[in-house]
Each structure stands twice: as C-alpha cells, then as structure tokens.
Amino acid sequence: MDTATVNYTEDSIKSLDWKEHIRLRPGMYIGKLGDGSAHDDGIYVLVKEVIDNCIDEHMMGYGKTIHIKVTDHRVEVRDYGRGIPLGKVVDCVSKINTGGKYDSGAFQKSVGLNGVGTKAVNALSTYFKVQSFRDGQTKLAEFEKGEITTDAKISKSTERNGTLITFEPDGTVFKHFHFIPDYLDNLIWNYAFLNAGLTINLNGKRYHSENGLLDLLKRKTDEESLRYPIIHLKGNDIEIALTHANQYGEEYYSFVNGQHTTQGGTHLAAFRESIVKTLRDFYKKDFDAADVRASVVGSIAVRVQEPVFESQTKTKLGSQNVAPDGPTMRTFINDFVKTELDNFLHRNSETADALLKRILQSERERKEIAGIKKLANERAKKANLHNKKLRDCRLHLNDKKVKDELKDNIMIFITEGDSASGSITKSRDVQTQAVFSLRGKPFNCFGHTKKVVYENEEFNLLQHALNIEDGLEGLRYRKIVIATDADVDGMHIRLLLLTYFLQFFPELVRNGHLYILETPLFRVRNKKETFYCYSEEEKQIAIDKLGNKPEITRFKGLGEISPDEFAGFIGEDIKLEPVILQKETKVKDLLTFYMGKNTPDRQQFIIEKLRVEKDLVEETIAT
C-alpha cells in the first residue's frame, strides 16, 4: 500500500471503552498471559488482584478469614471485611479509576492503588460475579467479558458482612490454561506470612502464621543446612529475617505492602547493601561484598505510602522514598538494619561467631578458585568465538530495549546431539529462542565444589551462555528449557543437568526459570487428520476419534521429528513443565537419592518404575 494515499482524518481516531482496552492490551494490566506454567502468568495475577482487596480489608482491621476455592477453571474468593458499599458494587468492578483506595485515610498502605485490579479480572473473564454483604443486605451483579448480564436489586441477607467474587478466566485470552497447585500454595502462604493472625482456607487447606517472616524462612529452608538460627527483626513498617545456609548463590524474598516483589526493587537493593555494610562495621573488616552475601537466605517486608511499581503487576518496586515526605528507601532500611542487626549480634555472640565463620569460608573458597576461574573465563571467550555450541537468539532478557511483552518468550533450549539440536535450530524463532548443544552426557557434579564448574568445559560454557556466573542480574534468558529425548539416556542427561542447576545455581530453580520441554510421544493420523499425543491416554482418545486403524508413530527422539513438525511444539502452543522445589524438598537429600551412590531405596524405586514402563511398552505393542 502507498502510505501517501492513506487519509489521516477524524475517523482515524478511535476510543475504546474500559473493557475493550483491557482485552486488546491485557499485558498492560496483568503482565504476560501464559498458560499457568509460570508462577507469574496472568491467571495467577487475576487471583492476586481479587485477594489483594481482601488483604487490604484485613490490614484496615476488618476480617480475619478468607475462603478461596479454585477448581480447573473457576475461582471463588470470599472475605469477611466490610463489604463493598452496595450502591457502588457495579461501579467498583466495571469503572476504571473507581474505588476506595484513592481515599488515603481509608487505605493508608494499600497493595493496589490505581483502581484497575478487579476491572481487569472482570474484562478478562467469561464469567464474573460480585456479591457484597453489608449490614443485613446484599447486592449481586454478573458479567461476561466485562458486559453486565445481571444487575440484581438490593435485597435482604443473613450472611456475614464481606464480599464474594467468582470468576472464570477467558480461555481465548489464556490459551490452554491450568492452575498449578504448587504455585497457588506458595502464593497463599506468602499472604499468610505477611499478615500474622490472618487465616486463609484454600480448597480446604488452612494457611496461618503467627511469626511472619520467621515462619517464611523456616518453610523455605532446611534447618539442618543453616549455619545459625534465623535472625528475625521487626520495626515500624519493616520486618526482616536473615540466615546463611550451605548453598551457592543468594536467596531473597521481598515484599511491599503484602505484595511479593519477585523482581525486587529499591527495597531489596537497600537490604542487600545494608547487610554488607552492617557486617563490615560489626566485624571491623572490609569483607568483599560477595563473601558476605554468599549463601544468604533473607526476606524483607516493608509498608510504603503510595508505592510506585514499575508495572501494573507490581513485581518490582521503583519508589525512592517510603512516603511522599518521608526518608529515602535506602536510608530507612540501612538505618534499621544497622541498628537492629548490630544490636542483635552484640547480644548473641554464638550467632555472631557462626556468621563470621561462614563469611571466612566463602572468602577462602573464592580465593581458591580465583586462578582457575580466570583461566576458565579466558577459555570461554575464545571458545565462544569459534565453537558452534550456542546458536544464540537476537533478543536477551537483560537488554533494556526489549519490550516487557516479549521477555517471557526469550528462552534457551539445552539439548544433546546434532540431530536434536538441528531440529530445534531449524524450527526455532531466531528472535527469542536460543539453542545450546551439549556434547554427550554432562559430568555428574554431585558432591563436587563449584571449582568443577570452571574445570569442566561444558559447564563453564553453559554458565557463560546464561551469564549467571555472578548471579541472576545478568541472566540472558527468561526460561531455561531442558530438551532431551524421552528415553533412558535422555532422562539421565536431564538428571545430570538438574543436578548442576540445583547444586550450583539453585536460585534459578527457586525463581521459576527452569523448565522441561514436553514433546509428543505419539503421532496418530489418517489421511484427513493428525493428532500429537503426550500420553497413552491421549493416544487412545485419538485412536477412538479416527477409527479405521490409523497410522501410529512412536517418537523415540527429538531428532526423529521433522523441523516442520517441531515448529509446532516450540511455537505458540509449546508445552513446558516447570521445575518446582516444594517446601518438603531438601535439595541435598534429593540429589543424594538420585545422583549419589546406589542405595537399596533407589534400587527399589528403579525396579518399580521399570515395571510401569514394561506395562506401557506391552500396551503400545498390543495396540
């Protein structure tokens, strides 16, 4: 089209109403969409937006219990706060910039301040119901994709005061979505830890905490791995918990006004800085900051007036001050940590001694590998110029010019063998998908120190490809995807890679960056239709649909799948299984079981799995 002939007139200017704009640009309101396989996918943001309102009521002193029910595609949330004023029920969920949180007297330190949350939930749901119970009366309204379908009159009620919201996310927006119980569990526990005394019931399970961040770190750590008991300090609008464990890397959980800031922000930066400064002053030694923070497990929660976040999903705090006329975030946190942590260590000499030993150990370990690390870095630079191990993509997570809506698609596939890496390389999106090709099976690094990461060429090149040598700040890919064949060798390679990440870079796993690529086990087709099946059950359903003895292909390796077919499995409908560390999972015990010396327990485990595999093989042959 000749752009010179395009008329730019009054008719070119379009105005969208609130729900049309949300549905056209959902990423502006809830971040990335996703199918639920990542902890920050949009369906969890929808849940959070509703719960946040309940939490705000609790913070204001109304309602000590929240009931939540989540099924496959429906969410119900009932609080026992004051209830939305009945005459404003419809407006509060369907008019942008309408809500009670603009009145700073009512919501001094609220989670959500911009009056968008429940409107986004409403617009992005195929069914949305809001019902308020207030002083013996109730008001109900129902919507479909933001359009009101039921506007009931105010009637009498015997229910306790509060609000009930029910919604079903729109499957055309959140394609193939599913709620992962572990993500919901973690989300609700965080609410409980940050609101001591609050009780939340999720699908019949009770969540309650009396000790805040102390309980959070107890849940996140293995007590046997801690170098000293968790330090727990509270002040006005600030709470911290801190310890050191026997792990590599740093691990933090940061919160603002009850919001889990998964990407940190000004408060977390100040917390990390204040730990180093306080411990240097206490021990009167100019430690390297990396030695002080190595193996730290910490958490910080602050309450801020009118917080400024870097996006609507509130995952990174941008506020420079704790209040419009208050001190800077850096000063506020530094002053608290300097005073309270210093006082604590003076009163608890055993903890102070143990903490010092941990820092000195980190210092020794850093100096021991300094020489080999330098040589390894030089080798990596030379190798990257000549080798073909990394087929990089054009966009990277740490590139500030990359738009937020693209960042979730930036991933790297780690695979083994020329045929498998070749199929992925030919099928991938070169803008956002990179491929790292392993040469044979990786080294079993279980029980080794981080020195092996620099001595082993494969591991050294991998950490440089990811850019995680000095932490996650420079991570180049949002998702690290292990893509191996679904056979014995492929599973072994998967275990070896999991061992590498869990042992040396556990924060990658805890922060939700590690995934397993699911590829179909079977292709079932006739001349008219083709089905790709990921399980025996799906295969049987496909056979029943097609009838007349369809052609069945069992894929044994990634290299057997043609590039044209493979493009469908790593494109828009990619199936990724997140690697999730559950609370009861102890990394050391897990790795010992799978990767340590043979034990009777593991032998029995293998025998049982072989029986299951034998049954599946026999069933496949029979069909």
Side-chain angles (χ1 to χ4, degrees), residues 271-298:
F271 182 43
R272 295 175 73 232
E273 176 188 285
S274 65
I275 293 171
V276 174
K277 189 175 186 304
T278 300
L279 295 181
R280 280 173 174 168
D281 291 345
F282 179 81
Y283 295 112
K284 296 180 174 58
K285 186 173 180 180
D286 190 22
F287 293 117
D288 188 297
D291 297 334
V292 175
R293 292 198 295 251
S295 305
V296 157
V297 185

PDB file of all heavy atoms in Angstrom, residues 271-298:
ATOM      1  N   PHE A 271      18.387  -3.512  51.121  1.00  0.00           N
ATOM      2  CA  PHE A 271      18.553  -4.585  52.105  1.00  0.00           C
ATOM      3  C   PHE A 271      19.888  -5.297  51.891  1.00  0.00           C
ATOM      4  O   PHE A 271      20.663  -5.507  52.829  1.00  0.00           O
ATOM      5  CB  PHE A 271      17.381  -5.553  51.987  1.00  0.00           C
ATOM      6  CG  PHE A 271      17.390  -6.697  52.975  1.00  0.00           C
ATOM      7  CD1 PHE A 271      17.704  -6.490  54.309  1.00  0.00           C
ATOM      8  CD2 PHE A 271      17.075  -7.982  52.555  1.00  0.00           C
ATOM      9  CE1 PHE A 271      17.692  -7.544  55.224  1.00  0.00           C
ATOM     10  CE2 PHE A 271      17.060  -9.042  53.455  1.00  0.00           C
ATOM     11  CZ  PHE A 271      17.371  -8.818  54.790  1.00  0.00           C
ATOM     12  N   ARG A 272      20.195  -5.660  50.649  1.00  0.00           N
ATOM     13  CA  ARG A 272      21.448  -6.346  50.332  1.00  0.00           C
ATOM     14  C   ARG A 272      22.649  -5.467  50.685  1.00  0.00           C
ATOM     15  O   ARG A 272      23.654  -5.939  51.203  1.00  0.00           O
ATOM     16  CB  ARG A 272      21.484  -6.736  48.854  1.00  0.00           C
ATOM     17  CG  ARG A 272      20.432  -7.756  48.457  1.00  0.00           C
ATOM     18  CD  ARG A 272      20.420  -8.019  46.963  1.00  0.00           C
ATOM     19  NE  ARG A 272      21.585  -8.804  46.560  1.00  0.00           N
ATOM     20  CZ  ARG A 272      22.402  -8.451  45.577  1.00  0.00           C
ATOM     21  NH1 ARG A 272      22.208  -7.326  44.919  1.00  0.00           N
ATOM     22  NH2 ARG A 272      23.416  -9.222  45.260  1.00  0.00           N
ATOM     23  N   GLU A 273      22.524  -4.195  50.384  1.00  0.00           N
ATOM     24  CA  GLU A 273      23.607  -3.252  50.695  1.00  0.00           C
ATOM     25  C   GLU A 273      23.796  -3.109  52.201  1.00  0.00           C
ATOM     26  O   GLU A 273      24.925  -3.082  52.705  1.00  0.00           O
ATOM     27  CB  GLU A 273      23.267  -1.894  50.080  1.00  0.00           C
ATOM     28  CG  GLU A 273      24.261  -0.788  50.398  1.00  0.00           C
ATOM     29  CD  GLU A 273      23.767   0.560  49.916  1.00  0.00           C
ATOM     30  OE1 GLU A 273      23.809   0.807  48.694  1.00  0.00           O
ATOM     31  OE2 GLU A 273      23.322   1.372  50.752  1.00  0.00           O
ATOM     32  N   SER A 274      22.691  -3.025  52.940  1.00  0.00           N
ATOM     33  CA  SER A 274      22.766  -2.795  54.386  1.00  0.00           C
ATOM     34  C   SER A 274      23.340  -3.996  55.134  1.00  0.00           C
ATOM     35  O   SER A 274      24.017  -3.837  56.156  1.00  0.00           O
ATOM     36  CB  SER A 274      21.388  -2.445  54.947  1.00  0.00           C
ATOM     37  OG  SER A 274      20.489  -3.533  54.819  1.00  0.00           O
ATOM     38  N   ILE A 275      23.111  -5.209  54.630  1.00  0.00           N
ATOM     39  CA  ILE A 275      23.685  -6.409  55.243  1.00  0.00           C
ATOM     40  C   ILE A 275      25.213  -6.328  55.194  1.00  0.00           C
ATOM     41  O   ILE A 275      25.907  -6.540  56.192  1.00  0.00           O
ATOM     42  CB  ILE A 275      23.187  -7.685  54.540  1.00  0.00           C
ATOM     43  CG1 ILE A 275      21.693  -7.895  54.774  1.00  0.00           C
ATOM     44  CG2 ILE A 275      23.968  -8.914  55.045  1.00  0.00           C
ATOM     45  CD1 ILE A 275      21.101  -9.009  53.931  1.00  0.00           C
ATOM     46  N   VAL A 276      25.729  -6.014  54.012  1.00  0.00           N
ATOM     47  CA  VAL A 276      27.181  -5.926  53.834  1.00  0.00           C
ATOM     48  C   VAL A 276      27.772  -4.829  54.713  1.00  0.00           C
ATOM     49  O   VAL A 276      28.758  -5.045  55.437  1.00  0.00           O
ATOM     50  CB  VAL A 276      27.530  -5.662  52.350  1.00  0.00           C
ATOM     51  CG1 VAL A 276      29.031  -5.423  52.182  1.00  0.00           C
ATOM     52  CG2 VAL A 276      27.079  -6.834  51.477  1.00  0.00           C
ATOM     53  N   LYS A 277      27.169  -3.654  54.674  1.00  0.00           N
ATOM     54  CA  LYS A 277      27.705  -2.509  55.427  1.00  0.00           C
ATOM     55  C   LYS A 277      27.695  -2.781  56.932  1.00  0.00           C
ATOM     56  O   LYS A 277      28.679  -2.513  57.637  1.00  0.00           O
ATOM     57  CB  LYS A 277      26.877  -1.261  55.116  1.00  0.00           C
ATOM     58  CG  LYS A 277      27.464   0.033  55.655  1.00  0.00           C
ATOM     59  CD  LYS A 277      26.643   1.233  55.202  1.00  0.00           C
ATOM     60  CE  LYS A 277      27.315   2.535  55.609  1.00  0.00           C
ATOM     61  NZ  LYS A 277      27.570   2.639  57.048  1.00  0.00           N
ATOM     62  N   THR A 278      26.586  -3.346  57.433  1.00  0.00           N
ATOM     63  CA  THR A 278      26.475  -3.602  58.871  1.00  0.00           C
ATOM     64  C   THR A 278      27.487  -4.635  59.338  1.00  0.00           C
ATOM     65  O   THR A 278      28.131  -4.476  60.386  1.00  0.00           O
ATOM     66  CB  THR A 278      25.047  -4.075  59.221  1.00  0.00           C
ATOM     67  OG1 THR A 278      24.110  -3.053  58.843  1.00  0.00           O
ATOM     68  CG2 THR A 278      24.908  -4.360  60.708  1.00  0.00           C
ATOM     69  N   LEU A 279      27.665  -5.706  58.570  1.00  0.00           N
ATOM     70  CA  LEU A 279      28.590  -6.766  58.980  1.00  0.00           C
ATOM     71  C   LEU A 279      30.046  -6.316  58.850  1.00  0.00           C
ATOM     72  O   LEU A 279      30.893  -6.714  59.655  1.00  0.00           O
ATOM     73  CB  LEU A 279      28.329  -8.032  58.172  1.00  0.00           C
ATOM     74  CG  LEU A 279      26.949  -8.680  58.426  1.00  0.00           C
ATOM     75  CD1 LEU A 279      26.779  -9.942  57.599  1.00  0.00           C
ATOM     76  CD2 LEU A 279      26.758  -8.990  59.902  1.00  0.00           C
ATOM     77  N   ARG A 280      30.344  -5.507  57.864  1.00  0.00           N
ATOM     78  CA  ARG A 280      31.697  -4.949  57.780  1.00  0.00           C
ATOM     79  C   ARG A 280      32.005  -4.112  59.027  1.00  0.00           C
ATOM     80  O   ARG A 280      33.079  -4.215  59.628  1.00  0.00           O
ATOM     81  CB  ARG A 280      31.835  -4.071  56.534  1.00  0.00           C
ATOM     82  CG  ARG A 280      32.057  -4.837  55.239  1.00  0.00           C
ATOM     83  CD  ARG A 280      32.004  -3.872  54.063  1.00  0.00           C
ATOM     84  NE  ARG A 280      32.358  -4.508  52.795  1.00  0.00           N
ATOM     85  CZ  ARG A 280      32.168  -3.948  51.609  1.00  0.00           C
ATOM     86  NH1 ARG A 280      31.641  -2.734  51.529  1.00  0.00           N
ATOM     87  NH2 ARG A 280      32.513  -4.589  50.508  1.00  0.00           N
ATOM     88  N   ASP A 281      31.038  -3.277  59.412  1.00  0.00           N
ATOM     89  CA  ASP A 281      31.228  -2.417  60.589  1.00  0.00           C
ATOM     90  C   ASP A 281      31.313  -3.234  61.873  1.00  0.00           C
ATOM     91  O   ASP A 281      32.144  -2.958  62.750  1.00  0.00           O
ATOM     92  CB  ASP A 281      30.086  -1.401  60.698  1.00  0.00           C
ATOM     93  CG  ASP A 281      30.128  -0.356  59.590  1.00  0.00           C
ATOM     94  OD1 ASP A 281      31.179  -0.246  58.933  1.00  0.00           O
ATOM     95  OD2 ASP A 281      29.109   0.331  59.382  1.00  0.00           O
ATOM     96  N   PHE A 282      30.461  -4.261  61.983  1.00  0.00           N
ATOM     97  CA  PHE A 282      30.420  -5.059  63.212  1.00  0.00           C
ATOM     98  C   PHE A 282      31.737  -5.813  63.421  1.00  0.00           C
ATOM     99  O   PHE A 282      32.280  -5.833  64.538  1.00  0.00           O
ATOM    100  CB  PHE A 282      29.252  -6.040  63.173  1.00  0.00           C
ATOM    101  CG  PHE A 282      29.156  -6.909  64.400  1.00  0.00           C
ATOM    102  CD1 PHE A 282      28.571  -6.434  65.566  1.00  0.00           C
ATOM    103  CD2 PHE A 282      29.670  -8.200  64.403  1.00  0.00           C
ATOM    104  CE1 PHE A 282      28.494  -7.224  66.708  1.00  0.00           C
ATOM    105  CE2 PHE A 282      29.612  -8.998  65.545  1.00  0.00           C
ATOM    106  CZ  PHE A 282      29.018  -8.498  66.694  1.00  0.00           C
ATOM    107  N   TYR A 283      32.237  -6.447  62.341  1.00  0.00           N
ATOM    108  CA  TYR A 283      33.463  -7.248  62.468  1.00  0.00           C
ATOM    109  C   TYR A 283      34.726  -6.417  62.233  1.00  0.00           C
ATOM    110  O   TYR A 283      35.838  -6.941  62.323  1.00  0.00           O
ATOM    111  CB  TYR A 283      33.430  -8.427  61.490  1.00  0.00           C
ATOM    112  CG  TYR A 283      32.342  -9.422  61.801  1.00  0.00           C
ATOM    113  CD1 TYR A 283      31.253  -9.579  60.949  1.00  0.00           C
ATOM    114  CD2 TYR A 283      32.394 -10.211  62.953  1.00  0.00           C
ATOM    115  CE1 TYR A 283      30.237 -10.499  61.224  1.00  0.00           C
ATOM    116  CE2 TYR A 283      31.380 -11.120  63.235  1.00  0.00           C
ATOM    117  CZ  TYR A 283      30.310 -11.257  62.372  1.00  0.00           C
ATOM    118  OH  TYR A 283      29.313 -12.161  62.661  1.00  0.00           O
ATOM    119  N   LYS A 284      34.522  -5.131  61.871  1.00  0.00           N
ATOM    120  CA  LYS A 284      35.644  -4.218  61.632  1.00  0.00           C
ATOM    121  C   LYS A 284      36.625  -4.780  60.598  1.00  0.00           C
ATOM    122  O   LYS A 284      37.847  -4.793  60.784  1.00  0.00           O
ATOM    123  CB  LYS A 284      36.371  -3.900  62.945  1.00  0.00           C
ATOM    124  CG  LYS A 284      35.511  -3.140  63.950  1.00  0.00           C
ATOM    125  CD  LYS A 284      36.251  -2.854  65.230  1.00  0.00           C
ATOM    126  CE  LYS A 284      35.423  -1.978  66.159  1.00  0.00           C
ATOM    127  NZ  LYS A 284      34.122  -2.559  66.500  1.00  0.00           N
ATOM    128  N   LYS A 285      36.055  -5.283  59.503  1.00  0.00           N
ATOM    129  CA  LYS A 285      36.866  -5.822  58.413  1.00  0.00           C
ATOM    130  C   LYS A 285      36.182  -5.529  57.087  1.00  0.00           C
ATOM    131  O   LYS A 285      34.968  -5.676  56.957  1.00  0.00           O
ATOM    132  CB  LYS A 285      37.059  -7.333  58.573  1.00  0.00           C
ATOM    133  CG  LYS A 285      38.013  -7.920  57.533  1.00  0.00           C
ATOM    134  CD  LYS A 285      38.328  -9.385  57.796  1.00  0.00           C
ATOM    135  CE  LYS A 285      39.278  -9.942  56.751  1.00  0.00           C
ATOM    136  NZ  LYS A 285      39.606 -11.366  56.965  1.00  0.00           N
ATOM    137  N   ASP A 286      36.959  -5.128  56.103  1.00  0.00           N
ATOM    138  CA  ASP A 286      36.404  -4.741  54.805  1.00  0.00           C
ATOM    139  C   ASP A 286      36.220  -5.966  53.914  1.00  0.00           C
ATOM    140  O   ASP A 286      36.915  -6.161  52.915  1.00  0.00           O
ATOM    141  CB  ASP A 286      37.328  -3.732  54.129  1.00  0.00           C
ATOM    142  CG  ASP A 286      36.677  -3.105  52.898  1.00  0.00           C
ATOM    143  OD1 ASP A 286      35.432  -3.113  52.822  1.00  0.00           O
ATOM    144  OD2 ASP A 286      37.416  -2.643  52.008  1.00  0.00           O
ATOM    145  N   PHE A 287      35.260  -6.793  54.269  1.00  0.00           N
ATOM    146  CA  PHE A 287      34.989  -8.016  53.506  1.00  0.00           C
ATOM    147  C   PHE A 287      34.565  -7.671  52.087  1.00  0.00           C
ATOM    148  O   PHE A 287      33.948  -6.633  51.821  1.00  0.00           O
ATOM    149  CB  PHE A 287      33.853  -8.817  54.149  1.00  0.00           C
ATOM    150  CG  PHE A 287      34.175  -9.397  55.492  1.00  0.00           C
ATOM    151  CD1 PHE A 287      33.464  -9.000  56.619  1.00  0.00           C
ATOM    152  CD2 PHE A 287      35.153 -10.358  55.639  1.00  0.00           C
ATOM    153  CE1 PHE A 287      33.740  -9.543  57.859  1.00  0.00           C
ATOM    154  CE2 PHE A 287      35.444 -10.905  56.868  1.00  0.00           C
ATOM    155  CZ  PHE A 287      34.738 -10.489  57.982  1.00  0.00           C
ATOM    156  N   ASP A 288      34.852  -8.582  51.160  1.00  0.00           N
ATOM    157  CA  ASP A 288      34.289  -8.492  49.817  1.00  0.00           C
ATOM    158  C   ASP A 288      32.777  -8.722  49.946  1.00  0.00           C
ATOM    159  O   ASP A 288      32.332  -9.637  50.637  1.00  0.00           O
ATOM    160  CB  ASP A 288      34.913  -9.571  48.918  1.00  0.00           C
ATOM    161  CG  ASP A 288      34.511  -9.400  47.467  1.00  0.00           C
ATOM    162  OD1 ASP A 288      33.305  -9.511  47.170  1.00  0.00           O
ATOM    163  OD2 ASP A 288      35.392  -9.185  46.619  1.00  0.00           O
ATOM    164  N   ALA A 289      31.989  -7.884  49.275  1.00  0.00           N
ATOM    165  CA  ALA A 289      30.522  -7.990  49.389  1.00  0.00           C
ATOM    166  C   ALA A 289      30.027  -9.379  49.002  1.00  0.00           C
ATOM    167  O   ALA A 289      29.092  -9.910  49.616  1.00  0.00           O
ATOM    168  CB  ALA A 289      29.855  -6.930  48.523  1.00  0.00           C
ATOM    169  N   ALA A 290      30.656  -9.990  48.008  1.00  0.00           N
ATOM    170  CA  ALA A 290      30.233 -11.327  47.560  1.00  0.00           C
ATOM    171  C   ALA A 290      30.439 -12.369  48.652  1.00  0.00           C
ATOM    172  O   ALA A 290      29.643 -13.309  48.777  1.00  0.00           O
ATOM    173  CB  ALA A 290      30.999 -11.725  46.313  1.00  0.00           C
ATOM    174  N   ASP A 291      31.473 -12.216  49.468  1.00  0.00           N
ATOM    175  CA  ASP A 291      31.730 -13.169  50.550  1.00  0.00           C
ATOM    176  C   ASP A 291      30.702 -13.027  51.664  1.00  0.00           C
ATOM    177  O   ASP A 291      30.304 -14.009  52.284  1.00  0.00           O
ATOM    178  CB  ASP A 291      33.139 -12.950  51.120  1.00  0.00           C
ATOM    179  CG  ASP A 291      34.227 -13.221  50.093  1.00  0.00           C
ATOM    180  OD1 ASP A 291      33.974 -13.999  49.165  1.00  0.00           O
ATOM    181  OD2 ASP A 291      35.320 -12.630  50.221  1.00  0.00           O
ATOM    182  N   VAL A 292      30.264 -11.808  51.923  1.00  0.00           N
ATOM    183  CA  VAL A 292      29.252 -11.577  52.960  1.00  0.00           C
ATOM    184  C   VAL A 292      27.913 -12.163  52.538  1.00  0.00           C
ATOM    185  O   VAL A 292      27.210 -12.805  53.324  1.00  0.00           O
ATOM    186  CB  VAL A 292      29.095 -10.066  53.243  1.00  0.00           C
ATOM    187  CG1 VAL A 292      27.949  -9.815  54.227  1.00  0.00           C
ATOM    188  CG2 VAL A 292      30.399  -9.491  53.789  1.00  0.00           C
ATOM    189  N   ARG A 293      27.571 -11.966  51.274  1.00  0.00           N
ATOM    190  CA  ARG A 293      26.230 -12.368  50.821  1.00  0.00           C
ATOM    191  C   ARG A 293      26.170 -13.801  50.300  1.00  0.00           C
ATOM    192  O   ARG A 293      25.074 -14.323  50.066  1.00  0.00           O
ATOM    193  CB  ARG A 293      25.746 -11.405  49.736  1.00  0.00           C
ATOM    194  CG  ARG A 293      25.474  -9.992  50.257  1.00  0.00           C
ATOM    195  CD  ARG A 293      24.610  -9.210  49.292  1.00  0.00           C
ATOM    196  NE  ARG A 293      25.278  -8.980  48.027  1.00  0.00           N
ATOM    197  CZ  ARG A 293      25.737  -7.800  47.620  1.00  0.00           C
ATOM    198  NH1 ARG A 293      25.628  -6.747  48.404  1.00  0.00           N
ATOM    199  NH2 ARG A 293      26.295  -7.678  46.433  1.00  0.00           N
ATOM    200  N   ALA A 294      27.309 -14.447  50.104  1.00  0.00           N
ATOM    201  CA  ALA A 294      27.295 -15.822  49.616  1.00  0.00           C
ATOM    202  C   ALA A 294      26.493 -16.704  50.577  1.00  0.00           C
ATOM    203  O   ALA A 294      26.713 -16.672  51.788  1.00  0.00           O
ATOM    204  CB  ALA A 294      28.719 -16.347  49.488  1.00  0.00           C
ATOM    205  N   SER A 295      25.550 -17.460  50.049  1.00  0.00           N
ATOM    206  CA  SER A 295      24.730 -18.406  50.822  1.00  0.00           C
ATOM    207  C   SER A 295      23.708 -17.738  51.727  1.00  0.00           C
ATOM    208  O   SER A 295      23.110 -18.387  52.593  1.00  0.00           O
ATOM    209  CB  SER A 295      25.608 -19.345  51.655  1.00  0.00           C
ATOM    210  OG  SER A 295      26.539 -20.003  50.842  1.00  0.00           O
ATOM    211  N   VAL A 296      23.469 -16.435  51.545  1.00  0.00           N
ATOM    212  CA  VAL A 296      22.442 -15.745  52.332  1.00  0.00           C
ATOM    213  C   VAL A 296      21.048 -16.241  51.939  1.00  0.00           C
ATOM    214  O   VAL A 296      20.761 -16.452  50.772  1.00  0.00           O
ATOM    215  CB  VAL A 296      22.523 -14.217  52.113  1.00  0.00           C
ATOM    216  CG1 VAL A 296      21.192 -13.540  52.426  1.00  0.00           C
ATOM    217  CG2 VAL A 296      23.588 -13.610  53.000  1.00  0.00           C
ATOM    218  N   VAL A 297      20.200 -16.424  52.935  1.00  0.00           N
ATOM    219  CA  VAL A 297      18.775 -16.615  52.716  1.00  0.00           C
ATOM    220  C   VAL A 297      18.098 -15.524  53.534  1.00  0.00           C
ATOM    221  O   VAL A 297      18.235 -15.493  54.761  1.00  0.00           O
ATOM    222  CB  VAL A 297      18.283 -17.997  53.179  1.00  0.00           C
ATOM    223  CG1 VAL A 297      16.812 -18.179  52.798  1.00  0.00           C
ATOM    224  CG2 VAL A 297      19.134 -19.105  52.580  1.00  0.00           C
ATOM    225  N   GLY A 298      17.423 -14.608  52.860  1.00  0.00           N
ATOM    226  CA  GLY A 298      16.858 -13.481  53.577  1.00  0.00           C
ATOM    227  C   GLY A 298      15.502 -13.073  53.052  1.00  0.00           C
ATOM    228  O   GLY A 298      15.099 -13.429  51.942  1.00  0.00           O
TER     229      GLY A 298
END
